[in-house]
C-alpha cells in the first residue's frame, strides 16, 4: 500500500470513528478534551490563538473558545484560500459566512488578519493521528503549508481518541505537531 493509499484509508476510518460517537459520548468527550487543553501552559500563556470552528463530527473547541475569549485572548480562525493557502482571521461581530467546504468561516474583509508569526498557539484538527504527534488531515495540505510559517507558536493537534492510529501515514512535507490532546489525555512530542 502506498502512503497516499494509507492516508486515504486512515482518513476514512478516522472520520467514521468520530462520526460513530453518540451525542452524549461526544458531549462528554468535547468537555474532557477542552479541560485537558485548558491545563496546558501553552494554552494558559497564549494571547493569540488560531483554532477552528468544528465541522461535521470534528472535536468541538467552542467551550475553550468561550473561556479564552472571556480572558481577553485573541481568537483567529482559518480561512482557506487559493493555492491551498491558509489565513488566520479574527472575525468581527458580523464577520462569519459558510466557506467553500461548508465550514463556518470568517469573512476576510470583516476580519483582522494575523500574520503566522504573530500566533502563540495553533490548534489543528485532523482525521487521524498517532502518539508521535503526526497527523493525517483532510488531504489538501492547508495546515502543512501554513504551520512552518508559525515560528513562535506551539502547535497542538485536536482529535478524539478513536481517531488514533498506530502510525499515521505521512510524507516528508507532513508537519509533526508539538502535542496532541484528546478526551483521554495529552500526547507530547517535545
Amino acid at each position: 500500500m502506498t502512503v497516499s493509499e494509507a492516508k486515504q484509508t486512515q482518513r476514512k476510518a478516522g472520520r467514521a470513528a468520530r462520526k460513530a460517537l453518540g451525542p452524549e459520548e461526544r458531549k462528554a468527550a468535547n468537555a474532557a478534551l477542552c479541560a485537558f487543553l485548558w491545563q496546558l501552559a501553552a494554552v494558559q500563556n497564549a494571547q493569540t490563538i488560531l483554532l477552528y470552528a468544528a465541522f461535521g463530527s470534528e472535536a468541538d473547541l467552542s467551550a475553550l473558545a468561550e473561556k479564552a475569549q472571556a480572558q481577553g485572548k485573541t481568537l483567529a480562525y482559518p480561512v482557506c484560500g487559493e493555492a491551498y493557502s491558509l489565513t488566520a482571521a479574527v472575525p468581527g461581530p458580523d464577520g462569519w459566512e459558510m466557506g467553500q467546504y461548508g465550514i463556518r468561516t470568517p469573512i476576510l474583509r470583516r476580519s483582522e488578519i494575523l500574520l503566522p508569526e504573530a500566533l502563540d498557539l495553533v490548534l489543528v484538527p485532523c482525521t487521524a493521528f498517532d502518539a508521535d504527534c503526526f497527523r493525517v488531515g483532510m488531504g489538501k495540505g492547508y495546515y502543512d503549508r501554513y504551520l512552518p510559517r508559525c515560528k513562535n507558536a506551539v502547535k497542538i493537534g485536536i482529535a478524539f481518541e478513536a481517531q488514533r492510529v498506530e502510525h499515521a501515514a505521512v510524507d516528508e512535507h507532513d508537519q509533526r505537531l508539538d502535542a496532541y490532546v484528546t478526551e483521554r489525555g495529552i500526547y507530547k512530542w517535545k
Side-chain angles (χ1 to χ4, degrees), residues 70-89:
Q71 289 196 358
K73 296 179 188 287
T74 300
L75 302 180
Y77 293 83
V79 177
C80 297
E82 293 179 16
Y84 303 110
S85 66
L86 195 143
T87 301

Side-chain angles (χ1 to χ4, degrees), residues 4 36 40 65 72 75 79 92 109-110 121 123 170:
S4 180
F36 277 122
L40 293 173
L75 302 180
V79 177
R109 68 183 179 282
R110 296 184 192 156
L121 176 65
L123 302 177
V170 293

Side-chain angles (χ1 to χ4, degrees), residues 90-165:
V90 181
D94 64 343
W96 292 94
E97 67 182 354
M98 269 311 162
Q100 65 185 30
Y101 296 108
I103 301 170
R104 189 169 170 251
T105 306
I107 300 169
L108 288 177
R109 68 183 179 282
R110 296 184 192 156
S111 301
E112 175 189 354
I113 307 304
L114 299 181
L115 297 174
E117 54 273 10
L119 298 168
D120 299 320
L121 176 65
V122 180
L123 302 177
V124 186
C126 73
T127 57
F129 77 101
D130 65 26
D132 290 326
C133 298
F134 281 111
R135 68 185 278 277
V136 177
M138 293 296 288
K140 302 291 185 191
Y142 287 99
Y143 281 98
D144 289 315
R145 288 177 184 85
Y146 188 74
L147 290 173
R149 298 171 53 212
C150 302
K151 305 237 183 268
N152 302 313
V154 175
K155 300 153 189 107
I156 300 175
I158 306 298
F160 295 118
E161 192 66 33
Q163 295 172 257
R164 186 165 61 89
V165 296

